[in-house]
Amino acid sequence: MKTWGLSSTLIYGIKRKRIFNADDEAFVGVYVAPHSSFWDIIILGSELKGFFVSKAEVLKWPVIGLGARFVRTVFIDREKGVSALRSMERSAERTFANDNSLIVFPEGTRSYEHMQNLKSGPFHVSFSTGKPIKPVIITYHPRENVVPRIKGNFIKELFKQSMSIKNTFVTIRTLPRIEPKTFKSVDELKKHVFQVMDDNYKKQQS
């Protein structure tokens, strides 16, 4: 996955700056990031050691579904509710046992203007396994290069953006890890993480 991400950003001419924390070394847990562009997957895939968690519908997308399966994405059928959560927890335990992390976009979908409410799944995983959460903020300059121009057709939009993404500058900033044991509930943990991510997202977008 790292090779795929690095080669893709090289081919498309994307420049990057990493701002990582001292506690990133040997991190094993749940990375969470706002999801503003499908380029997030390529960028994070080349920077972080872990596997993405994605909705099961992605498997049906042309090209993307095959690529997601190739990089060992963990697929979750969100319509299955509790059983989907249990499946996610089992996948997380296997991933953590091999010193890898999960990479999750907890909003559940892309959002270009502001952060949306977070889904509970990754926070249940953190709380039940005791593994920490680490927020990651990605910003693009100029931001217009990653904003969709053709809504409703992923392939056409991907092709269109591949023409404009060259010379885009990307900043990847990790924030300090957040330990679940310092919170009384999953909901309290989720609210805290949202506030941390939202504050930093707004700061980086300004």
Side-chain angles (χ1 to χ4, degrees):
M1 184 161 58
K2 188 168 187 175
T3 301
W4 169 65
L6 286 172
S7 59
S8 296
T9 55
L10 180 63
I11 290 168
Y12 288 111
I14 302 172
K15 298 174 176 62
R16 67 179 72 197
K17 178 181 180 181
R18 306 170 183 85
I19 305 174
F20 283 11
N21 272 272
D23 67 353
D24 289 341
E25 189 69 26
F27 175 80
V28 175
V30 184
Y31 288 105
V32 291
H35 196 14
S36 62
S37 168
F38 45 66
W39 297 98
D40 297 342
I41 299 170
I42 294 174
I43 299 298
L44 291 183
S46 65
E47 292 286 351
L48 306 177
K49 184 185 177 185
F51 301 114
F52 286 96
V53 176
S54 175
K55 56 189 177 183
E57 301 94 276
V58 170
L59 279 168
K60 300 176 182 178
W61 294 2
V63 182
I64 301 301
L66 182 62
R69 191 188 292 274
F70 177 73
V71 296
R72 297 170 64 187
T73 300
V74 176
F75 293 103
I76 302 297
D77 187 346
R78 294 185 297 191
E79 294 183 359
K80 292 187 177 179
V82 174
S83 64
L85 179 59
R86 295 288 177 265
S87 175
M88 186 176 178
E89 289 176 343
R90 288 193 295 271
S91 296
E93 288 170 355
R94 291 194 295 270
T95 300
F96 299 152
N98 290 312
D99 292 328
N100 285 300
S101 296
L102 291 182
I103 307 169
V104 187
F105 300 113
E107 295 165 288
T109 188
R110 282 177 284 159
S111 177
Y112 300 93
E113 301 301 327
H114 55 79
M115 281 191 56
Q116 301 186 59
N117 291 331
L118 308 183
K119 306 294 184 183
S120 296
F123 306 101
H124 275 285
V125 168
S126 173
F127 213 75
S128 65
T129 62
K131 293 295 185 181
I133 296 275
K134 178 172 278 293
V136 185
I137 307 297
I138 305 177
T139 51
Y140 299 88
H141 306 281
R143 188 166 172 263
E144 292 73 24
N145 285 0
V146 299
V147 173
R149 296 168 177 79
I150 306 172
K151 295 185 178 181
N153 190 313
F154 181 83
I155 298 301
K156 285 184 178 180
E157 177 56 28
L158 180 61
F159 178 77
K160 190 77 173 179
Q161 285 196 20
S162 69
M163 299 295 102
S164 64
I165 197 68
K166 188 176 181 181
N167 297 323
T168 298
F169 191 85
V170 183
T171 301
I172 309 103
R173 182 187 302 269
T174 62
L175 305 180
R177 68 179 67 190
I178 299 169
E179 298 289 347
K181 61 186 177 183
T182 60
F183 299 89
K184 295 179 181 178
S185 67
V186 170
D187 194 52
E188 187 178 301
L189 172 63
K190 182 176 73 169
K191 287 179 179 177
H192 175 77
V193 172
F194 176 84
Q195 195 62 57
V196 169
M197 292 174 68
D198 192 45
D199 288 348
N200 278 273
Y201 187 68
K202 288 175 180 175
K203 186 185 300 181
Q204 300 306 316
Q205 295 292 345
S206 60

